[in-house]
């Protein structure tokens, strides 16, 4: 059996006892993996609210807004559902439309608000309108009908 000098053995034991540290701090890794919206990029709740108010107006989106301010997914959904206006979740034009408070989920890169349609009969309906935070220009990305 061959003995090693004391200094070399002590050095090896010391090195083995040291904790292994990553070369990049964990918080830096988490920040670099986050979506761009977390870093402050993307639409704000106020911008999304202003967009939805302008987009829906009092009676629904204009033909131009339907063409230029709507995602391709919604355009295709409308082609498949000719009997229902997928942007309003309705068959007719509402008497009035109101937009609720906007919620922004930066980690999901999306913002949304409840849209309430008011009808001549006094009834109301609601649906949720979604906007991607990184859409350029800002546009309606999806609509989920309540019922």
């Amino acid at each position: 059996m061959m003995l090693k000098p004391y200094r070399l053995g002590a050095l090896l034991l010391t090195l083995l006892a040291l904790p292994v540290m990553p070369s990049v701090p964990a918080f830096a890794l988490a920040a670099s993996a986050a979506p761009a919206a977390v870093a402050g990029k993307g639409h704000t709740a106020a911008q999304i609210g202003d967009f939805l108010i302008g987009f829906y107006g009092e009676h629904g989106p204009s033909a131009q807004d339907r063409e230029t301010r709507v995602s391709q997914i919604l355009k295709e959904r409308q082609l498949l559902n000719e009997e229902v206006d997928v942007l309003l979740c309705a068959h007719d034009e509402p008497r009035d439309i109101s937009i609720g408070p906007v919620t922004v989920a930066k980690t999901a890169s999306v913002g949304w608000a409840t849209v309430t349609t008011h009808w001549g009969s006094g009834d109301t309906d609601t649906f949720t309108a979604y906007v991607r935070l990184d859409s350029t220009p800002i546009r309606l990305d999806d609509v989920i009908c309540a019922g």
Side-chain angles (χ1 to χ4, degrees):
M1 176 163 132
M2 187 162 130
L3 296 176
K4 297 189 184 219
Y6 176 76
R7 282 179 282 170
L8 183 57
L11 178 62
L12 287 174
L13 285 175
T14 305
L15 289 175
L16 291 174
L18 291 175
V20 177
M21 300 295 287
S23 60
V24 178
F27 68 87
L29 291 174
S32 66
V38 174
K41 296 182 181 178
H43 309 300
T44 65
Q47 290 169 326
I48 292 170
D50 289 345
F51 165 75
L52 291 173
I53 290 168
F55 179 82
Y56 279 107
E58 292 181 16
H59 305 290
S62 68
Q64 182 179 358
D65 283 345
R66 290 173 181 273
E67 183 59 34
T68 61
R69 300 175 85 187
V70 174
S71 71
Q72 189 61 37
I73 292 170
L74 283 173
K75 290 177 186 178
E76 291 170 7
R77 191 180 302 158
Q78 185 62 67
L79 289 174
L80 297 172
N81 297 292
E82 293 179 9
E83 69 281 355
V84 175
D85 185 341
V86 299
L87 301 182
L88 293 168
C89 298
H91 296 281
D92 299 319
E93 181 179 291
R95 179 177 49 91
D96 192 26
I97 299 175
S98 57
I99 309 296
V102 175
T103 302
V104 172
K106 289 189 175 191
T107 56
S109 295
V110 68
W112 66 89
T114 299
V115 179
T116 304
T117 51
H118 305 270
W119 302 94
S121 64
D123 291 339
T124 60
D125 288 319
T126 61
F127 59 90
T128 306
Y130 294 87
V131 174
R132 285 183 40 170
L133 299 182
D134 62 352
S135 61
T136 305
I138 190 169
R139 67 179 174 269
L140 189 65
D141 193 56
D142 202 1
V143 171
I144 304 297
C145 301

